[in-house]
Amino acid sequence: MTIPPLVAHTLVLLLAAGLLAACGQNNGASAVTPKDTAQDTYCALDGMLLADYPGPKAQIHYAGQPEPEFFCDTSEMFSLLLKPEQARMVTIAYVQDMDKADWAAPKGAWIDAKAAFYVVGSKKRGAMGPTLPSFGTREGAQKFAAAEGGKVHPYAEITPDMARLDGGALHDQRM
């Protein structure tokens, strides 16, 4: 059986186009970088100015939205991400590595929220009171927990109860 040249050329062109398209695809997360906060950066949930409060901050990047939404506390970020009704497509979320950021006035030190370790139940307070301090390494989180109390958890273990904004479960986990 012989394939007509026009059909063969068409198939080769379609195959080449498909391969080129696959090479150009990006999962989206790697192209989205964290944004720095400014003096007038405010919290998407309550309008509080991030610069006015201590503790780790967070930002969520949504698909199709050019700018991230910022949060004055990691608990607020989790209160959104862990809601069953959260329907907006999240490209990536960032939190601050508190091993590298100053607690009183954190700037920069952004890390992927899903790769971070969190301390639940520490005595340290953030913008909303009880908070979930974020760290780039388990060791950094364990050192913080030894000094400030609490238990270390990776992102995948954080539950809605742990991130309650009223601090109920945050207090229950202290050691």
Side-chain angles (χ1 to χ4, degrees):
M1 176 173 150
T2 305
I3 300 176
L6 183 58
V7 172
H9 286 209
T10 303
L11 290 174
V12 168
L13 285 173
L14 287 173
L15 178 62
L19 289 173
L20 285 173
C23 288
Q25 285 183 351
N26 186 331
N27 69 2
S30 64
V32 177
T33 58
K35 305 287 185 197
D36 284 326
T37 59
Q39 281 299 114
D40 62 349
T41 303
Y42 62 90
C43 178
L45 286 184
D46 54 30
M48 294 168 54
L49 290 176
L50 273 60
D52 290 348
Y53 299 93
K57 311 299 180 232
Q59 57 182 278
I60 300 176
H61 295 255
Y62 292 103
Q65 185 175 316
E67 295 298 317
E69 290 187 1
F70 286 95
F71 302 90
C72 56
D73 198 290
T74 54
S75 297
E76 290 182 327
M77 175 196 71
F78 278 115
S79 75
L80 286 178
L81 292 179
L82 300 178
K83 281 184 176 179
E85 63 271 14
Q86 164 56 22
R88 293 168 66 188
M89 177 65 148
V90 174
T91 303
I92 192 167
Y94 291 104
V95 292
Q96 292 176 304
D97 182 348
M98 295 314 291
D99 262 343
K100 298 177 180 173
D102 175 25
W103 189 273
K107 295 296 272 174
W110 296 105
I111 56 175
D112 183 339
K114 288 186 176 183
F117 294 89
Y118 300 87
V119 179
V120 177
S122 81
K123 60 186 173 191
K124 199 80 164 173
R125 296 292 176 251
M128 302 305 293
T131 188
L132 300 171
S134 44
F135 295 87
T137 65
R138 182 180 292 276
E139 294 75 27
Q142 288 171 330
K143 181 179 171 187
F144 179 90
E148 301 290 341
K151 293 182 184 179
V152 175
H153 296 273
Y155 177 93
E157 291 179 4
I158 302 297
T159 65
D161 229 20
M162 291 175 180
R164 282 183 20 206
L165 290 174
D166 65 9
L170 295 174
H171 294 292
D172 297 344
Q173 298 245 347
R174 274 200 210 138
M175 295 190 75

